[in-house]
């Protein structure tokens, strides 16, 4: 037994016992699809055969319903009858009456012709004679498909077996209306027993599973199988078969299966699919059609809708749904599992599937169903319908985009384009499609930008739609399109609202800086500046690019970050606000807010947002001197969005990578970043200036001074041509001063550094601090100390730990040259601490002598000019230098051919003489005494 219901088996066992005693019994078993009627008949047949009974079996078939005596023939030839009985049966079955086909048989027990009656009497007599020899069990499955001659025979036998050792068991459908009313009426007039089979209960499913799996099963597992099968024994048996065939791990811990969550579907495979389709094909052909329609309709499963889709009567649909519900195949009008739905859909031909989907979509449209439901059917059909479908698909696309389902929105909007629409509607659909694509695949949005440009030129774009095209053109560096769009937005007829004006202004600022030619200031409705918070915030943020961090810019940035939700149109607005907030004392808050926005972008499935915000986060870290963090965020941003999707914006992450790796001494990595293919139009944007500025820093760090001068001068010249002053973002004068100083042009360097100080704003502490550091390098020793002290204070206020550490290191050298060794040592320690905090190499700021690591080990012992210089032996100095470079004690021993113990002894004496606490303080201690560490660069390149 598998899913057989035990109570019914015991009843049949008892009735068989009574029939053995010469009390003929007839049992009628009815129930829904797959509830175990066939299994029950097999079980009683097995029990009877084991008890010595002769078992004769047959099964009704729709295909043989027109064949007279078809069931009788099955009974006769289904078992090994005694030879004499078999001979008698053959003689009767050979009669012409049984070879004829009925002309119009309706399956009903009706009047019997005289010749046929004689044959039926002879057959009944033979079976009664057989029953006198041994008990006889006759089991007929699906009696509703039996031919009318066989039905009459069974009635004939029933009337004559009261004292015979015969048990007749018949199974039939349970339908809302009787399939064989005349036969049933005649059959039930005489003594009989009726067994009704219902789907298995959850408790019984648990018992069946336990038997099949070899032990008790957890409650959640039994419940999952009960929910998936609906208690249908055929489906349950198939699920168990799939499990045994490897569709669930054979040795899985049952307590942990399905994650332990209720309602999760058990694994299923081909056995389940076959069993389900067998159930749907076994009865009325309408069952499969109704099931297919229910899967397609989803939640809209009212019988009236199904009837209209299938062209059936509502009554017939209701009856079919009742049958499916009683069989446990559906619940509340839905199939019980995703596997069941998949199996039913797989049975639907492609053309029929498309036809039904389109029919359903139109029907639901007429009923006023939600646009996203209708669009789902159109997308499944992969077609639009009539002109009405364009608006529905566009609305569904906008809704999907608002719910952060951008790929689904693209799917709907692409279908909308295939529908018949007017030019205005088509332009609106394309604009929405561009927005949806841009969120996760900006390069795909470019495909549709051409029609939008034509629509803009023809005046068919609303202001909001024009903004989408302008932002797309900015992303691709198409300045001419941007200028044309902004010109149209300035037209009084466009009338962009104040928020739109502010958004466009900040987006323009992001790509082109505060350029007068690309500004919307003064257009649209007249509103005093102080009355509109968006206009006021946009103006303040624009000032942050030229004025640095002020109370007004910080307040505006905080206002925007608190009140502006992350969206397609607000991306550059939020990015600008984050950078403005990150320039001053609230850089840590800016970083935290940026992290939150990055998480939100990832959660909402918007890699374009995530990538841009990731670069902003990298830039904030770079401005704080957190080099490793900046590089990590820039790398992640580039990995988030493929290179072809960045447009001109790729100059931004590349610039951060080049500057960060250059500052860390990783020149090879920086060089690889500079080998990226750059898009056309990059150098007509601020992003191009960022890239040039970073490349100049790389060239300067790698002693390509003339190349660095060219980059910095080009950057400055472009700013002059565009009437820009981006000193806060790119202090080019300071960089030019440093490059000239490297060439020995001290006068030019001093002049440029002083210009930088004169032009920089009081709120731009970072630029002023850098300029003072470079000016100190151009000045006499007597002036250098004061300038560097001021620079240290400014850079500490700005929060740039890298530049702060660099300036402290130079101040330490000045103190040493002035003979103030204690101050030199203390300042050097501070430099070392800042260097460690920004995760730059330990010897980044130690003066370069241009010698290799091996040359450092071979150089003569330095001669100190003061009694305050520690007396380091040559061996101690070599060990200290290698330890400062990061070598382990074992590596130092191998390098110098000494034991590890000797290395440890040397280091102990070095720590005491330098007054440092340990290995991490060695770079600072060595710097105080002018021990060169150019070997650090060699070590970096070796790794």
């Amino acid at each position: 037994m598998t899913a057989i219901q035990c109570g019914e088996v015991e009843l049949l066992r008892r009735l068989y016992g009574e029939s053995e005693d010469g009390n003929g019994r007839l049992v009628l078993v009815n129930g829904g699809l797959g509830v175990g009627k066939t299994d029950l008949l097999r079980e009683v047949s097995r029990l009877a055969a084991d008890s010595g009974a002769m078992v004769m079996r047959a099964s009704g078939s729709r295909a043989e319903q027109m064949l007279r005596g078809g069931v009788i023939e099955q009974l006769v030839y289904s078992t090994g009858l005694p030879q004499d009985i078999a001979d008698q049966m053959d003689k009767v079955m050979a009669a012409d009456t049984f070879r004829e086909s009925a002309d119009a048989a309706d399956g009903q027990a009706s009047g019997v012709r005289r010749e046929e009656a004689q044959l039926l009497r002879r057959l009944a007599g033979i079976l009664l004679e057989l029953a006198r020899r041994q008990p006889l069990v006759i089991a007929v499955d699906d009696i509703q498909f039996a031919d009318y001659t066989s039905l009459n025979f069974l009635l004939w036998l029933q009337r004559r077996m009261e004292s015979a050792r015969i048990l007749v068991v018949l199974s039939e459908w349970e339908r809302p209306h009787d399939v064989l009313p005349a036969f049933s009426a005649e059959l039930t007039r005489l003594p009989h027993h009726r067994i009704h089979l219902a789907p298995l209960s959850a408790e019984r499913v648990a018992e069946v599973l336990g038997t099949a799996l070899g032990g008790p099963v957890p409650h959640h597992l039994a419940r999952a199988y009960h929910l998936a099968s609906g208690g249908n024994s055929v489906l349950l048996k198939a699920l168990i078969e799939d499990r045994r065939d490897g569709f669930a791990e054979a040795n899985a811990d049952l307590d942990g299966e399905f994650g332990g969550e209720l309602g999760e579907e058990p694994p299923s495979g081909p056995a389940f699919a076959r069993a389900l389709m067998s159930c749907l094909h076994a009865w009325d052909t309408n069952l499969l059609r109704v099931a297919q329609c229910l899967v397609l309709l989803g939640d809209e499963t009212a019988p009236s809708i199904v009837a209209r889709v299938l062209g059936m009567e509502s009554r017939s649909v209701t009856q079919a749904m009742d049958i499916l519900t009683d069989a446990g195949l559906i619940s509340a009008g839905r199939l019980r599992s995703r596997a069941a739905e998949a199996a039913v859909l797989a049975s639907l031909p492609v053309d029929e599937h498309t036809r039904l989907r389109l029919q359903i979509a139109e029907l639901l449209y007429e009923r006023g169903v939600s646009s996203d439901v209708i669009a789902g059917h159109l997308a499944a059909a992969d077609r639009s319908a009539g002109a009405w479908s364009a608006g529905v698909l566009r609305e569904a696309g906008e809704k999907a985009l608002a719910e952060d389902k951008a790929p689904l929105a693209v799917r709907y909007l692409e279908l909308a384009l295939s529908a018949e629409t007017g030019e205005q509607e088509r332009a609106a659909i394309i604009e929405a499609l561009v927005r949806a694509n841009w969120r996760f695949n900006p390069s795909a949005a470019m495909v549709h930008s051409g029609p939008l440009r034509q629509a803009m030129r023809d005046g068919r774009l609303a202001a909001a739609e024009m903004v989408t095209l302008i932002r797309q053109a900015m992303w691709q560096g198409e300045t001419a399109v941007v200028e044309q769009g902004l010109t149209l937005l300035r037209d009084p007829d466009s009338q962009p609202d104040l928020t739109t004006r502010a958004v466009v202004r900040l987006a323009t600022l992001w790509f082109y800086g505060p350029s007068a030619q690309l500004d919307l200031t003064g257009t649209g409705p007249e509103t005093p500046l102080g009355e509109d918070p968006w206009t006021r915030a946009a103006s303040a943020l624009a000032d942050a690019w030229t004025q640095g961090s002020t109370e007004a810019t910080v307040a505006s940035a905080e206002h925007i970050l608190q009140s502006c939700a992350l969206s397609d149109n607000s991306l550059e607005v939020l990015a600008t606000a984050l950078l403005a907030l990150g320039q001053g004392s609230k850089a840590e808050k800016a970083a935290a807010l940026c992290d939150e926005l990055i998480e939100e972008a990832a959660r909402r499935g918007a890699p374009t947002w995530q990538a841009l915000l990731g670069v902003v986060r990298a830039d904030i870290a770079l401005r704080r001197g957190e080099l490793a963090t900046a590089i990590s965020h820039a790398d992640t941003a580039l990995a988030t969005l493929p290179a072809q999707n960045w447009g001109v914006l790729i100059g931004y992450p590349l610039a951060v990578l080049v500057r960060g790796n250059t500052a860390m001494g990783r020149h090879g990595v920086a060089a690889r970043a500079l080998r990226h293919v750059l898009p056309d139009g990059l150098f007509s944007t601020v992003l191009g200036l960022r890239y040039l500025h970073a490349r100049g820093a790389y060239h300067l760090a790698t002693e390509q001074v003339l190349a660095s001068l060219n980059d910095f001068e080009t950057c400055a010249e472009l700013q002059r041509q565009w009437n820009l002053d981006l000193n806060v973002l790119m202090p080019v004068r300071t960089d030019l001063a440093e490059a000239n100083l490297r060439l020995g042009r001290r006068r030019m360097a001093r002049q440029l550094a002083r210009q930088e100080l004169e032009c920089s704003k009081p709120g731009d502490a970072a630029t002023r601090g850098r300029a003072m550091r470079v000016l100190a390098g151009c000045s006499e020793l007597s002036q250098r100390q004061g300038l560097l002290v001021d620079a240290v204070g400014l850079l500490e206020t700005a929060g740039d730990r890298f530049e702060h550490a660099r300036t402290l290191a130079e101040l330490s050298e000045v103190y040493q040259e002035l003979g103030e060794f204690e101050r030199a040592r203390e300042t050097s320690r501070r430099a070392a601490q800042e260097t460690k905090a920004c995760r730059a190499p330990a010897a980044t700021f130690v003066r370069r002598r241009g010698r290799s690591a091996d040359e450092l080990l071979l150089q003569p012992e330095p001669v100190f000019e003061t009694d305050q210089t520690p007396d380091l032996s040559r061996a101690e100095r070599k060990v200290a230098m290698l330890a400062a470079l990061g070598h382990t004690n074992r590596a130092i021993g191998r390098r110098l051919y000494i034991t590890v113990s000797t290395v440890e002894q040397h280091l102990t004496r070095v720590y005491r003489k330098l007054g440092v606490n340990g290995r991490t303080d060695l770079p600072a201690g060595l710097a105080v005494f002018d021990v060169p560490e150019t070997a650090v660069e060699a070590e970096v390149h070796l790794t």
Side-chain angles (χ1 to χ4, degrees):
M1 275 190 311
T2 53
I4 307 271
Q5 308 206 29
C6 297
E8 286 71 17
V9 173
E10 291 304 315
L11 173 60
L12 286 173
R13 190 194 301 272
R14 179 175 61 80
L15 292 174
Y16 170 73
E18 294 175 0
S19 71
E20 260 191 321
D21 296 334
N23 300 296
R25 295 288 183 260
L26 185 143
V27 181
L28 188 61
V29 180
N30 67 355
L33 273 171
V35 295
K37 300 185 298 295
T38 300
D39 285 345
L40 187 60
L41 264 63
R42 286 175 182 161
E43 181 64 14
V44 71
S45 299
R46 185 189 65 80
L47 292 174
D50 290 345
S51 300
M54 176 63 66
V55 178
M56 302 176 73
R57 294 196 58 190
S59 178
S61 168
R62 185 181 287 112
E64 296 185 6
Q65 197 168 11
M66 304 298 286
L67 179 63
R68 279 192 183 181
V71 169
I72 298 174
E73 187 175 5
Q74 289 185 55
L75 291 172
V76 170
Y77 299 116
S78 67
T79 187
L81 295 172
Q83 188 61 49
D84 60 327
I85 297 294
D87 291 341
Q88 295 178 55
M89 284 287 191
D90 286 341
K91 188 175 181 180
V92 174
M93 297 301 296
D96 290 341
T97 303
F98 284 100
R99 292 197 300 267
E100 295 174 357
S101 295
D103 295 330
D106 60 359
Q108 294 295 309
S110 57
V112 182
R113 294 177 300 167
R114 180 178 176 182
E115 298 82 2
E116 188 174 87
Q118 291 176 350
L119 292 174
L120 296 180
R121 183 174 59 197
R122 288 177 62 186
L123 283 174
I126 294 170
L127 294 183
L128 290 170
E129 172 60 29
L130 178 61
R132 281 192 286 269
R133 300 182 188 182
Q134 66 182 118
L136 178 62
V137 173
I138 298 174
V140 181
D141 199 9
D142 285 337
I143 194 66
Q144 70 278 354
F145 292 134
D147 60 282
Y148 80 93
T149 300
S150 298
L151 293 175
N152 281 325
F153 166 70
L154 292 171
L155 291 174
W156 191 281
L157 181 63
Q158 182 192 21
R159 289 191 288 267
R160 288 161 177 77
M161 68 177 204
E162 183 176 356
S163 58
R165 293 194 298 172
I166 298 177
L167 173 65
V168 177
V169 184
L170 310 175
S171 75
E172 68 170 353
W173 286 357
E174 181 180 50
R175 299 290 295 268
H177 62 279
D178 205 332
V179 179
L180 303 171
F183 172 77
S184 297
E186 184 70 17
L187 188 76
T188 55
R189 278 195 314 105
L190 299 173
H192 70 284
H193 295 270
R194 185 182 293 273
I195 294 177
H196 174 71
L197 294 183
L200 301 176
S201 65
E203 293 75 13
R204 181 62 186 137
V205 167
E207 294 174 12
V208 173
L209 271 178
T211 301
L213 302 181
V217 297
H219 172 73
H220 74 267
L221 181 61
R223 185 171 189 270
Y225 273 84
H226 183 257
L227 288 174
S229 67
N232 186 291
S233 62
V234 172
L235 298 186
L236 177 61
K237 186 163 57 173
L239 286 171
I240 293 173
E241 181 182 342
D242 281 332
R243 180 186 180 87
R244 286 171 174 163
D245 288 345
F247 288 89
E249 292 184 7
N251 299 319
D253 178 5
L254 294 181
D255 289 329
E257 186 133 11
F258 314 132
E261 298 196 10
L262 297 178
E264 196 167 343
E265 293 183 17
S268 61
F272 177 79
R274 288 193 301 269
L276 176 63
M277 298 312 298
S278 175
C279 288
L280 294 174
H281 280 289
W283 287 23
D284 192 336
T285 55
N286 285 334
L287 292 183
L288 178 58
R289 294 182 63 210
V290 170
Q292 290 169 339
C293 191
L294 291 176
V295 174
L296 296 180
L297 282 168
D299 294 329
E300 303 291 333
T301 55
S304 59
I305 297 178
V306 177
R308 283 197 59 183
V309 173
L310 297 178
M312 296 171 56
E313 293 183 358
S314 292
R315 177 184 175 187
S316 299
V317 171
T318 301
Q319 290 175 352
M321 292 179 67
D322 288 343
I323 291 170
L324 294 173
T325 301
D326 292 342
L329 300 185
I330 67 173
S331 176
R334 299 290 300 269
L335 271 78
R336 287 181 167 270
S337 67
R338 292 183 296 272
E341 291 182 343
V344 170
L345 276 184
S347 69
L348 194 59
V350 175
D351 291 345
E352 181 66 5
H353 178 260
T354 300
R355 186 188 69 80
L356 288 176
R357 286 288 191 185
L358 293 175
Q359 193 169 338
I360 289 170
E362 188 165 1
L363 176 59
L364 296 181
Y365 174 71
E366 293 172 2
R367 295 174 68 91
V369 174
S370 174
S371 61
D372 56 321
V373 175
I374 300 171
H377 290 289
L378 293 172
D382 197 24
R383 290 186 191 174
S384 58
W388 61 268
S389 64
V392 170
L393 287 164
R394 178 190 171 194
E395 181 182 336
E398 292 283 10
K399 185 176 181 180
L401 195 58
E403 295 173 352
D404 298 321
K405 301 173 183 176
L408 182 62
V410 168
R411 183 79 184 89
Y412 291 161
L413 293 166
E414 286 177 340
L415 278 177
L417 280 181
S418 67
E420 298 179 7
T421 60
E423 290 186 353
Q424 195 79 22
E425 175 75 3
R426 187 173 183 80
I429 292 171
I430 293 174
E431 183 272 337
L433 184 57
V434 168
R435 277 189 289 112
N437 265 311
W438 182 83
R439 192 176 292 189
F440 69 99
N441 189 7
S443 61
M446 290 178 58
V447 176
H448 303 286
S449 60
L452 273 189
R453 293 173 196 168
Q454 186 59 48
M456 180 178 70
R457 287 191 290 269
D458 296 343
R460 290 185 281 110
L461 288 186
E465 295 166 351
M466 213 177 301
V467 169
T468 299
L469 177 59
I470 291 171
R471 292 178 65 250
Q472 176 70 19
M474 289 178 182
W475 194 274
Q476 299 302 328
E478 297 173 340
T479 306
V481 178
V482 174
E483 290 177 335
Q484 182 183 9
L486 292 177
T487 300
L488 291 172
L489 281 181
R490 292 189 189 98
D491 191 318
D493 293 336
S494 295
Q495 292 290 315
D497 57 60
L498 294 171
T499 301
T500 300
R501 290 166 56 195
V503 167
V504 172
R505 182 180 182 188
L506 290 176
T508 305
L509 178 73
W510 182 261
F511 287 94
Y512 300 105
S515 172
Q517 289 84 1
L518 298 175
D519 197 359
L520 282 181
T521 305
T523 67
E526 292 297 329
T527 302
L529 182 63
E531 294 182 11
D532 176 52
W534 268 101
T535 304
R536 187 168 60 249
S539 298
L541 290 182
D543 290 342
W545 289 57
T546 55
Q547 304 294 325
S549 178
T550 64
E551 290 185 7
T553 59
V554 169
S556 296
E558 289 184 317
H559 168 72
I560 284 179
L561 291 169
Q562 290 171 1
S563 61
C564 186
L566 180 59
S567 68
D568 296 317
N569 286 335
S570 70
L571 184 60
E572 292 90 350
V573 175
L574 292 170
T576 305
L578 287 167
L579 287 177
L581 190 63
Q583 289 177 0
S585 59
K586 296 191 176 183
E588 188 172 350
K589 180 178 181 180
L593 290 172
C594 192
D595 288 336
E596 292 177 6
L597 288 171
I598 292 172
E599 290 177 6
E600 180 183 346
R603 188 172 62 251
R604 294 173 64 183
T608 301
W609 300 354
Q610 189 180 350
L612 178 55
L613 291 168
V615 185
V616 171
R617 179 65 178 86
D619 197 8
I620 293 172
L622 187 64
R623 287 176 173 276
R624 298 179 70 189
E626 299 170 351
L627 305 180
T629 301
I631 292 169
S632 174
H633 280 289
D635 280 334
T636 300
L638 282 172
T640 301
L641 206 61
Q644 69 270 17
N645 281 334
W646 280 92
V648 298
L649 201 71
I650 199 169
Y652 194 8
L654 292 178
V656 173
L657 281 178
V658 171
R659 290 191 65 84
N661 283 295
T662 298
M664 290 189 73
R666 300 168 59 182
H667 299 146
V669 180
R672 285 197 296 273
L674 288 170
R675 287 197 289 269
H676 266 268
V677 177
L678 302 177
D680 296 335
L682 172 64
F683 295 105
S684 62
T685 67
V686 170
L687 291 315
L689 299 183
R690 286 181 181 271
Y691 180 87
L692 280 173
H693 188 248
R695 191 173 69 184
Y698 163 79
H699 285 148
L700 186 61
T702 54
E703 304 299 336
Q704 301 176 67
V705 184
L706 294 179
S708 74
L709 273 174
N710 181 64
D711 286 334
F712 293 142
E713 287 173 350
T714 302
C715 195
E717 177 59 27
L718 287 174
Q719 289 191 57
R720 283 192 292 272
Q721 291 179 12
W722 299 345
N723 193 28
L724 293 178
D725 182 3
L726 301 178
N727 215 42
V728 174
L729 298 180
M730 293 163 281
V732 180
R733 298 182 191 89
T734 298
D735 296 307
L736 284 169
E738 194 159 6
N740 276 281
L741 182 60
R742 195 73 64 86
L743 291 174
R745 302 171 181 170
R746 297 173 65 87
R747 180 178 298 177
M748 175 64 73
R750 186 181 301 112
Q751 181 181 350
L752 287 166
R754 285 175 175 168
Q755 286 180 9
E756 191 78 282
L757 287 170
E758 292 170 1
C759 295
S760 60
K761 307 300 179 183
D764 189 5
T767 299
R768 294 181 64 79
R770 282 196 63 203
M772 283 188 177
R773 176 184 61 77
V774 175
L775 182 60
C778 308
S779 304
E780 299 298 328
L781 181 63
S782 59
Q783 298 174 323
R784 210 178 298 163
Q785 176 184 348
L787 288 170
L788 288 174
V789 168
D790 290 344
V792 165
L794 286 168
L795 291 168
E796 187 172 14
T797 299
D800 187 341
R801 307 192 80 157
F802 179 78
E803 284 294 334
H804 188 223
R806 185 177 184 180
T807 308
L808 283 170
E810 294 187 14
L811 179 58
S812 173
E813 293 180 358
V814 169
Y815 282 140
Q816 182 184 344
E817 291 183 42
L818 292 173
E820 301 182 27
F821 297 107
E822 187 60 37
R823 296 179 75 178
R825 181 182 290 109
E826 179 59 32
T827 305
S828 181
R829 285 176 180 167
R830 289 177 62 194
Q833 291 170 355
E834 287 291 89
T835 302
K836 184 177 180 181
C838 65
R839 298 182 65 181
T844 298
F845 309 122
V846 178
R847 287 188 299 176
R848 296 181 172 87
R849 301 291 191 191
R851 285 164 288 184
S852 67
D854 290 329
E855 288 175 330
L856 291 175
L857 295 174
L858 297 174
Q859 69 179 357
E861 186 174 354
V863 178
F864 298 105
E865 300 176 357
T866 170
D867 294 338
Q868 291 178 305
T869 299
D871 183 17
L872 291 181
S873 70
R874 180 178 178 79
E876 289 169 348
R877 186 164 54 83
K878 289 180 179 180
V879 169
M881 287 164 47
L882 289 171
L885 289 171
H887 292 283
T888 64
N889 289 355
R890 187 176 300 277
I892 295 171
R894 285 198 301 266
R895 185 84 175 258
L896 301 179
Y897 304 102
I898 58 179
T899 66
V900 174
S901 175
T902 302
V903 173
E904 292 172 350
Q905 294 172 20
H906 282 319
L907 286 176
T908 300
R909 288 192 292 271
V910 168
Y911 296 155
R912 177 173 50 79
K913 292 179 180 180
L914 294 180
V916 298
N917 295 322
R919 205 182 201 94
T920 56
D921 294 331
L922 274 177
L926 293 171
V928 172
F929 303 106
D930 196 24
V931 179
E933 295 189 41
T934 49
V936 173
E937 287 191 18
E939 293 297 323
V940 172
H941 289 304
L942 286 174
T943 57

